[in-house]
Amino acid sequence: RKEVEQDPGPFNVPEGATVAFNCTYSNSASQSFFWYRQDCRKEPKLLMSVYSSGNEDGRFTAQLNRASQYISLLIRDSKLSDSATYLCVVNSGGYQKVTFGIGTKLQVIP
Amino acid sequence: NAGVTQTPKFRVLKTGQSMTLLCAQDMNHEYMYWYRQDPGMGLRLIHYSVGEGTTAKGEVPDGYNVSRLKKQNFLLGLESAAPSQTSVYFCASSYLASGRGEQYFGPGTRLTVT
């Protein structure tokens, strides 16, 4: 089993739709979780950290389910500008290193 | 405030040639990282540094060397390039360890080895 698994997509959704991505991780000792966004041919940028209690930033909500070992990202009222690849990131081997998922590609359609 | 910069942006090498990728950050970050990104795979850590003068191996260190002589710079060297090293290379830096906080990435270097 891979350390971090994501559905690569693509997820094609209409503007205004709600879309959710999941990411599963294999190391039950993982303590920190992040979602990064990567635009085509650009560098990754932090979208949000994922806290045990869940967190929300505008249209974006991230949640952690430790029992089932997955994190999720919910995007409400999708915009064209949300089109990107969303990378799940989980710490591994202590806090010095993290593992990146392959990313889930989102395409928001007019 | 430029953040993280990388040079060059593009490079084509022939098998066996050597080169150095340069990464610089102006945020006074202690931690710096080199990753490679290949299609269908997540970013993979090559080497990292937790401070000036220190380096450590990541997940895929073979064929690469690094140096961190100054806090703001992290160099990645390819001694004898191989086609398997064709990839996009990203440098990143962070104030806290990568598992504790945000990493800031450079724009990447696209390397092709023929």
Side-chain angles (χ1 to χ4, degrees), chain A residues 2 32 34 36 38 41-46 87 89 91 94-102, chain B residues 31 33 35 37 40-43 45 48 50 90 97-103 105-107 110:
Chain A
K2 289 184 180 178
S32 55
F34 309 89
Y36 277 73
Q38 186 173 23
R41 300 179 72 84
K42 298 288 189 181
E43 71 272 23
K45 293 183 180 179
L46 180 69
L87 309 178
V89 182
N91 81 294
Y95 286 109
Q96 303 297 350
K97 291 182 281 187
V98 294
T99 299
F100 284 76
I102 63 173
Chain B
Y31 300 86
Y33 309 85
Y35 293 92
Q37 186 173 38
M41 306 187 76
L43 278 84
L45 183 63
Y48 65 99
V50 301
F90 287 103
S98 60
R100 290 189 179 276
E102 181 175 5
Q103 294 181 78
F105 285 82
R110 295 183 179 276

Side-chain angles (χ1 to χ4, degrees), chain A residues 28-97:
Chain A
S28 60
S30 295
Q31 292 294 322
S32 55
F33 310 87
F34 309 89
W35 283 104
Y36 277 73
R37 171 192 168 129
Q38 186 173 23
D39 292 312
C40 187
R41 300 179 72 84
K42 298 288 189 181
E43 71 272 23
K45 293 183 180 179
L46 180 69
L47 179 65
M48 56 200 309
S49 302
V50 186
Y51 305 120
S52 296
S53 56
N55 48 308
E56 186 174 313
D57 183 3
R59 298 181 292 109
F60 298 83
T61 300
Q63 292 194 315
L64 167 64
N65 185 316
R66 285 196 184 276
S68 300
Q69 293 184 211
Y70 73 88
I71 64 172
S72 63
L73 178 67
L74 181 78
I75 306 175
R76 290 181 297 278
D77 188 23
S78 298
K79 312 290 185 190
L80 295 176
S81 57
D82 294 334
S83 297
T85 297
Y86 292 84
L87 309 178
C88 168
V89 182
V90 179
N91 81 294
S92 54
Y95 286 109
Q96 303 297 350
K97 291 182 281 187

